[in-house]
Amino acid sequence: MLKNLFRSRERTRPGLALYEAAVAQARQSEFYRDLGVTDQIDARFELYTLHVLLLVMRLREEPAPNTQTGAEAGQDLFDVYVSALDNSLRELGVHDVTMAKKMRKLGEALYGRMTAYEPAIRAEDADTLATGLARNVYESPEAGIARGLAAYALAARARLAAQPMETVLTAPQWPEIAA
């Protein structure tokens, strides 16, 4: 009985696998070749953020009886993503003295993107989503440049929503990336 009391409880943490799935998808060459995303750190951050958001939204919307499991998996993914950002900054040579300030800026950027994209994704508003993606991913005021990426994001949301949670947690299936 005491053995059970002091034994560490393993908790399934899907966040790392989900983060890896988001990163792998965001690194697909079609984003850069066909949709014109520049292969630079800022644009990659934007694509990672978009894919993490799509997964978090899907998991938070898991219906009963798995609502809590979905919410916990989404939170775990978010936590892994923030930790990965922290690790990336350290690898780039950001020192501890400035780390808090840099992480705060990244956190604000991440929150800003999610706040901007989520309502447009929920409303299936391709024009508003394209405007935000153009500004952040393409660094352009022209929404037309991001229409393909907006269409992809909306298709990804629909495709993820159609998958059972077990599939999303183990091997989320993304739509085709097309211009």
Side-chain angles (χ1 to χ4, degrees), residues 57-70:
M57 287 176 65
R58 164 57 183 90
L59 292 166
R60 285 191 323 210
E61 295 166 350
E62 180 64 24
N66 295 318
T67 304
Q68 178 146 355
T69 303

Side-chain angles (χ1 to χ4, degrees), residues 11-149:
R11 182 173 81 93
T12 304
R13 294 205 58 203
L16 182 58
L18 288 166
Y19 174 72
E20 289 171 352
V23 167
Q25 183 63 18
R27 288 183 176 166
Q28 295 298 309
S29 62
E30 292 88 349
F31 287 114
Y32 307 96
R33 184 187 64 229
D34 300 342
L35 296 181
V37 175
T38 59
D39 191 8
Q40 295 179 348
I41 194 165
D42 291 346
R44 287 191 304 267
F45 165 78
E46 298 295 342
L47 285 181
Y48 296 165
T49 300
L50 177 63
H51 285 88
V52 166
L53 173 62
L54 289 165
L55 285 170
V56 167
M57 287 176 65
R58 164 57 183 90
L59 292 166
R60 285 191 323 210
E61 295 166 350
E62 180 64 24
N66 295 318
T67 304
Q68 178 146 355
T69 303
E72 288 172 358
Q75 183 62 52
D76 192 42
L77 169 57
F78 183 80
D79 293 345
V80 168
Y81 184 50
V82 170
S83 179
L85 290 175
D86 180 277
N87 292 337
S88 294
L89 284 176
R90 290 181 193 281
E91 287 175 9
L92 291 171
V94 176
H95 301 289
D96 285 334
V97 175
T98 59
M99 182 59 82
K101 185 185 287 186
K102 296 273 188 200
M103 281 305 297
R104 192 178 114 215
K105 277 187 150 186
L106 271 175
E108 289 171 357
L110 179 61
Y111 180 75
R113 297 323 184 261
M114 291 182 166
T115 302
Y117 300 158
E118 187 170 355
I121 292 170
R122 285 190 188 287
E124 298 181 17
D125 183 349
D127 292 336
T128 300
L129 183 57
T131 299
L133 292 169
R135 181 179 53 252
N136 296 314
V137 177
Y138 296 92
E139 297 179 355
S140 172
E142 299 299 321
I145 196 169
R147 291 206 193 288
L149 185 56

Side-chain angles (χ1 to χ4, degrees), residues 141-176:
E142 299 299 321
I145 196 169
R147 291 206 193 288
L149 185 56
Y152 164 83
L154 295 176
R157 174 164 162 76
R159 182 133 191 217
L160 290 168
Q163 297 168 45
M165 185 171 71
E166 295 76 28
T167 301
V168 174
L169 291 174
T170 57
Q173 298 172 12
W174 303 95
E176 182 178 331

